[in-house]
Amino acid sequence: MAWCDLPIDLLCFISSHLSIVDLVRLSVVCTSWNFTLANYALIGFQCRPSPWLLLSNDIEEDSDTLTFCELTIEEEEAVISFHRHFSSIGSHTYGRRYFGSNDGWLVTLDKIDLQPRLFNPVTKAEISLPSLFTLIELQYSPDGSTRILGNETLFDIMTENLRDIYFHKIIVSSNDSYGTAVVIYGIKKELALAKSEALTWVLGPQLSPYSTEDTEQFEDVYYHDENQLFYAITNFSLVLSFDLNGQNVELISPNMPNSCYRTRHFDCMYYIAFLSGTLLKIERVIDITPNSPYNTTTMAIFVSKFVPVVVASSSSSYSQWMSVNDMGEYSFFVGCNQTFSLHHKVATGIKPNCIYFSDHSSNMLPGFVDCDVGLFDLYNDRIQYILPPYSRTNWPPSIWFTPSLS
C-alpha cells in the first residue's frame, strides 16, 4: 500500500500523537494527506496540545513575524525547547497588539481604527469584530490628547496611548462568526459585548446593583462552554455570570476586599476559571516596589475554589472561597490570554499542579511592562521564572497560546 493510500482512521490515530508543527509537516507529504489535513475538523483529527509563549519583538509592533517559544520539562524545570516563527503575515500583525488568545487564535487590535480581529497564525484565517470606537465618544484637544466622557467624568488621554490605556483584555466564546466577544475597557474597567456580524458593541453587566465600592473594577472574564455563560471577576473578588447577550446577570459571589490590593509595594490581580465543574479564583501577587530593578515581579499565587451556599442558620446563609493546593494533573495559564487549563499527560511539556503566568500589569503601557514569565508550583509554593527578568520594556506583552488548525 502506498503512503498516500493510508486509511483515514490510521491517519487520525497518528495525528493524536503529533504536535501542531508535525501535523502541518504531515500535510505537505502528498496531495492526499494535504486534503485530509485541510478537512481535519470534519474528519476528527486531534493533535497533541502544546502551550506556546508569544514573545515580544525587539521592534515591538512594527513586525510581520510572530515568534513563539515552546516549553518542555528538563530535570523538573520548565525550559524553552523550540522557537517557532511565523513570517510574512504583516497584513495580519503589523501595528497590532495582542489582547488575548483562545484555542489557536489571537485577538489583535490596531491603534488607528480600534478594529479587533481574531487571527489564526497557522491557517491565516481572520475574523473581524466591530470597531471599539462605537463604545466611546471622543473629543480632540489642540495638544493631541483625546478627551473621553465616562460615567460623567472627563479623561484626557494622548491619542497614541488610547488603545493601550483604555482597552485591557478581549475574551471570546468561540472562534467563529457566531461567537460573542467581551471586552474589559475604560478607566474603570467595565464590560461590553459584541458579535462579529454586529455593527456596534453593547454595554455589559454593571457593578452598581451589586457593589458600592467606587474602586471596584472587572479584572478577568471566563467563558464556561458547558453552561454557555460568561463569568467575570473584579479586583474585590466579586463574581457575576451572564449569558451570551449580556443578560440574565446573576451575582455568584459578593465582594471580598483584599487588604494588600494595590498598596505601595504590592499589586494583586485576579483570574477566574473552572476545573471539573468547580469555580476557581486565581490571585496573583506582584511586587511593584518603587525604585526596584524591575517594574513588576510575580511573588506569589493563591488558588481558591468557590463553595456556593453554606447554610449558617435557619435564617441566613453564606458563600465562601476555600484554599486549593492540589489541582491534580492540571495546570492553568494566566495573563493577557484567556485563562485555560491543560492536563500534563496530554500536553507533555508542562508540569502538573502549576499556574503558568505571563506579562501582565494594571497599567499596560510601553515602558511599564517588564518581562514577568514563569510558573508557580502549588506543591511546594515555589516560583520558577521561565524567562529571566530584565529591565528592558517587554512590549507587546508576552501571552500564552495553544496552536490549532481549527
Side-chain angles (χ1 to χ4, degrees):
M1 177 182 292
W3 286 104
C4 61
D5 296 326
L6 284 179
I8 290 178
D9 289 347
L10 182 56
L11 286 176
C12 287
F13 176 78
I14 294 172
S15 74
S16 65
H17 296 273
L18 299 178
S19 68
I20 187 72
V21 173
D22 293 328
L23 200 58
V24 172
R25 289 170 178 162
L26 208 68
S27 68
V28 299
V29 171
C30 63
T31 303
S32 174
W33 287 16
N34 180 270
F35 175 81
T36 302
L37 269 294
N39 293 275
Y40 94 109
L42 298 176
I43 297 170
F45 272 64
Q46 295 291 333
C47 62
R48 175 172 56 83
S50 176
W52 292 1
L53 182 69
L54 175 59
L55 301 176
S56 60
N57 292 296
D58 290 337
I59 56 175
E60 299 182 354
E61 298 162 24
D62 296 334
S63 173
D64 65 349
T65 300
L66 293 178
T67 302
F68 299 87
C69 67
E70 192 171 357
L71 303 181
T72 190
I73 300 298
E74 294 182 4
E75 298 180 353
E76 298 299 317
E77 296 289 311
V79 298
I80 294 173
S81 56
F82 298 101
H83 283 84
R84 310 293 188 186
H85 301 283
F86 293 82
S87 58
S88 301
I89 51 177
S91 62
H92 301 286
T93 62
Y94 190 88
R96 305 184 71 84
R97 203 193 109 190
Y98 317 113
F99 273 75
S101 72
N102 181 54
D103 191 22
W105 294 66
L106 296 169
V107 184
T108 71
L109 184 62
D110 72 304
K111 280 187 176 182
I112 306 302
D113 299 323
L114 296 183
Q115 179 85 52
R117 299 176 192 163
L118 304 182
F119 171 59
N120 187 324
V122 178
T123 66
K124 309 299 188 295
E126 194 170 63
I127 299 172
S128 294
L129 293 166
S131 170
L132 289 166
F133 271 125
T134 62
L135 273 178
I136 52 181
E137 294 185 9
L138 301 180
Q139 300 175 2
Y140 296 97
S141 303
D143 64 356
S145 65
T146 300
R147 177 160 292 183
I148 301 173
L149 177 62
N151 292 332
E152 301 181 354
T153 303
L154 287 173
F155 300 98
D156 286 334
I157 300 174
M158 294 303 295
T159 304
E160 63 181 15
N161 294 329
L162 176 62
R163 177 197 62 180
D164 300 316
I165 290 180
Y166 208 70
F167 302 101
H168 307 279
K169 195 171 186 179
I170 300 176
I171 298 92
V172 296
S173 63
S174 61
N175 303 324
D176 54 43
S177 58
Y178 303 101
T180 298
V182 177
V183 60
I184 302 175
Y185 78 100
I187 304 300
K188 295 191 175 182
K189 293 187 177 179
E190 300 175 278
L191 302 179
L193 297 89
K195 296 183 182 295
S196 61
E197 69 271 15
L199 298 177
T200 63
W201 291 77
V202 297
L203 297 181
Q206 304 296 304
L207 280 173
S208 54
Y210 310 100
S211 174
T212 58
E213 295 284 348
D214 291 336
T215 56
E216 190 152 13
Q217 305 170 342
F218 287 105
E219 290 281 336
D220 192 27
V221 177
Y222 183 90
Y223 179 68
H224 193 226
D225 188 60
E226 291 184 11
N227 56 20
Q228 297 186 347
L229 291 175
F230 287 104
Y231 289 78
I233 190 169
T234 71
N235 54 338
F236 280 31
S237 296
L238 182 146
V239 178
L240 297 178
S241 68
F242 51 96
D243 63 22
L244 293 169
N245 297 312
Q247 305 298 317
N248 298 312
V249 182
E250 181 181 351
L251 175 65
I252 304 299
S253 173
N255 60 13
M256 299 174 60
N258 188 318
S259 58
C260 75
Y261 178 74
R262 290 186 181 169
T263 65
R264 176 176 170 80
H265 298 287
F266 294 99
D267 198 355
C268 195
M269 306 204 69
Y270 290 95
Y271 309 91
I272 191 168
F274 274 83
L275 181 62
S276 301
T278 300
L279 181 65
L280 297 182
K281 175 180 68 175
I282 300 171
E283 180 182 349
R284 177 178 176 182
V285 180
I286 303 172
D287 184 359
I288 55 172
T289 303
N291 303 318
S292 65
Y294 314 111
N295 290 330
T296 59
T297 306
T298 297
M299 303 302 295
I301 292 181
F302 304 95
V303 180
S304 306
K305 67 178 180 180
F306 181 66
V307 180
V309 176
V310 178
V311 177
S313 68
S314 58
S315 60
S316 66
S317 62
Y318 66 96
S319 303
Q320 62 180 340
W321 294 95
M322 297 182 62
S323 178
V324 172
N325 297 314
D326 188 357
M327 301 185 301
E329 305 295 303
Y330 287 89
S331 287
F332 277 88
F333 294 77
V334 302
C336 292
N337 50 278
Q338 291 188 213
T339 302
F340 65 91
S341 63
L342 289 174
H343 194 288
H344 86 105
K345 290 186 178 179
V346 177
T348 54
I350 67 172
K351 295 178 66 175
N353 202 35
C354 292
I355 304 294
Y356 285 76
F357 57 87
S358 63
D359 307 326
H360 204 61
S361 172
S362 297
N363 183 9
M364 297 300 282
L365 267 178
F368 291 90
V369 179
D370 284 342
C371 181
D372 186 23
V373 178
L375 64 90
F376 183 82
D377 192 329
L378 268 70
Y379 281 132
N380 52 29
D381 290 339
R382 173 178 173 263
I383 284 185
Q384 179 204 337
Y385 296 102
I386 297 174
L387 297 179
Y390 48 83
S391 57
R392 180 180 68 84
T393 297
N394 206 40
W395 193 264
S398 300
I399 67 173
W400 297 110
F401 172 82
T402 50
S404 171
L405 287 169
S406 63

